[in-house]
Amino acid sequence: MWVRVSEEYGWNGLDRLKATCDAAHARGLKVVQAVQIAGHKYDDPAKNAALPQFAVQCVDAGADLIEVGNEFNHTPFWQAPPVTTMPPAAQAVISIAVAKAVKAAHPSTPVITNGMSPEADPLNPWTWWPQFLDADIAGHVGAKWDGIGLHPYCYPELATANPAQWNPILQVPSIRTAAQQRGITTAVYLTELGAPGFPVATAPVIRNVALTEQRQADCYSAYLSVIRQQESAGITYPLVCFATLFDGQSATTSVEQGLGLIRADGTKKPAYDIVKAFAAEAV
């Protein structure tokens, strides 16, 4: 079992990450550390140059897997230079440098690409990803990526019904093929996946769909149905991280405050048992 965190370069050292890793390891859990620059701006050469060594230090602090960046195809997490600049060469340069540094210092530590956001075209994962690779194919091959990060949210729609353009989990075959065509054969890691759920009386509405706890459960059932179908077709997911365990754990003030599988009062939502049963299948 895994937990995913993100201690960012520019915060107050790595003592908190070490404490998190120690606590996780004591419970038999492993830790994914998403490496980012605080403020999510990548236009400072000095900070960019320091990020690879910071990633190495994250492994020294106990991280078991490094995810290089977070949603580098999404403006809030790549604020400068402009995320719409295509191809995403700046994202490729930083990602490759971090991956190579971690592999040089810790060859056995898995390193994966940033978990891509379910953005709209032209930043959609299946259109952004090939351009990210083409920015430096030799560099990506040399980075020896252990996985491809993806955040296939599609709520409030269901993953079993939503068209692929708005449904990143259905884009996975295309994402894998694009990598294989460029000499990169590796799996997709779902480092964030979820849907919010609220009481009926207070549920926000998106695209005429109320984000109730039952809708959250339906979204999870749909995600997991697609995952099982893909696994039966030979697509495997070494890691699936659900966001989040408790309500209020998101860093945003949006509907993501309701992403938890457990309510703020400690009681479990219907989606909790769906995820628990899925996790038991994987053990």
Side-chain angles (χ1 to χ4, degrees):
M1 296 291 185
W2 294 79
V3 294
R4 180 177 181 267
V5 299
S6 183
E7 288 292 327
E8 300 183 7
Y9 175 74
W11 287 358
N12 297 318
L14 290 172
D15 289 346
R16 185 167 60 177
L17 176 62
K18 185 178 186 308
T20 297
C21 292
D22 289 346
H25 295 159
R27 292 164 174 79
L29 303 172
K30 295 182 179 181
V31 178
V32 178
Q33 157 68 354
V35 174
Q36 307 179 73
I37 292 176
H40 308 144
K41 292 184 178 181
Y42 295 85
D43 56 355
D44 183 330
K47 290 181 180 179
N48 293 350
L51 195 61
Q53 184 57 32
F54 174 76
V56 172
Q57 292 168 348
C58 290
V59 181
D60 294 338
D64 301 288
L65 183 151
I66 295 296
E67 181 178 356
V68 185
N70 179 68
E71 300 190 356
F72 276 176
N73 62 324
H74 184 42
T75 297
F77 296 103
W78 183 280
Q79 295 185 19
V83 73
T84 52
T85 300
M86 303 296 278
Q91 290 95 322
V93 168
I94 289 172
S95 298
I96 292 167
V98 172
K100 287 184 174 180
V102 173
K103 284 297 185 182
H106 299 282
S108 63
T109 297
V111 183
I112 67 174
T113 62
N114 74 97
M116 291 177 282
S117 163
E119 269 286 351
D121 285 334
L123 303 176
N124 208 298
W126 63 359
T127 53
W128 186 90
W129 170 250
Q131 296 185 64
F132 172 71
L133 294 180
D134 287 343
D136 186 354
I137 294 177
H140 283 298
V141 171
K144 300 179 181 178
W145 295 111
D146 294 288
I148 303 164
L150 184 66
H151 299 169
Y153 297 102
C154 73
Y155 69 81
E157 287 78 23
L158 302 180
T160 48
N162 211 26
Q165 180 182 356
W166 307 106
N167 191 356
I169 202 163
L170 295 185
Q171 299 174 20
V172 167
S174 175
I175 290 168
R176 281 165 42 97
T177 296
Q180 291 166 358
Q181 290 172 340
R182 292 158 176 82
I184 300 169
T185 303
T186 189
V188 173
Y189 286 57
L190 306 181
T191 52
E192 280 188 36
L193 179 64
F198 296 85
V200 172
T202 60
V205 175
I206 296 179
R207 293 188 288 277
N208 298 317
V209 179
L211 302 178
T212 63
E213 292 181 357
Q214 183 56 53
R215 187 62 175 187
Q216 179 189 41
D218 293 343
C219 284
Y220 267 103
S221 293
Y223 287 138
L224 302 182
S225 175
V226 174
I227 289 173
R228 291 185 182 104
Q229 290 171 13
Q230 291 179 334
E231 288 180 335
S232 68
I235 296 175
T236 59
Y237 293 103
L239 182 150
V240 181
C241 287
F242 299 105
T244 56
L245 183 58
F246 292 95
D247 277 346
Q249 288 186 319
S250 171
T252 75
T253 57
S254 67
V255 297
E256 292 184 354
Q257 288 295 307
L259 282 172
L261 298 171
I262 300 175
R263 305 180 188 94
D265 64 4
T267 56
K268 299 168 183 174
K269 300 181 188 178
Y272 177 93
D273 289 329
I274 294 170
V275 171
K276 182 179 179 181
F278 176 79
E281 292 177 17
V283 173

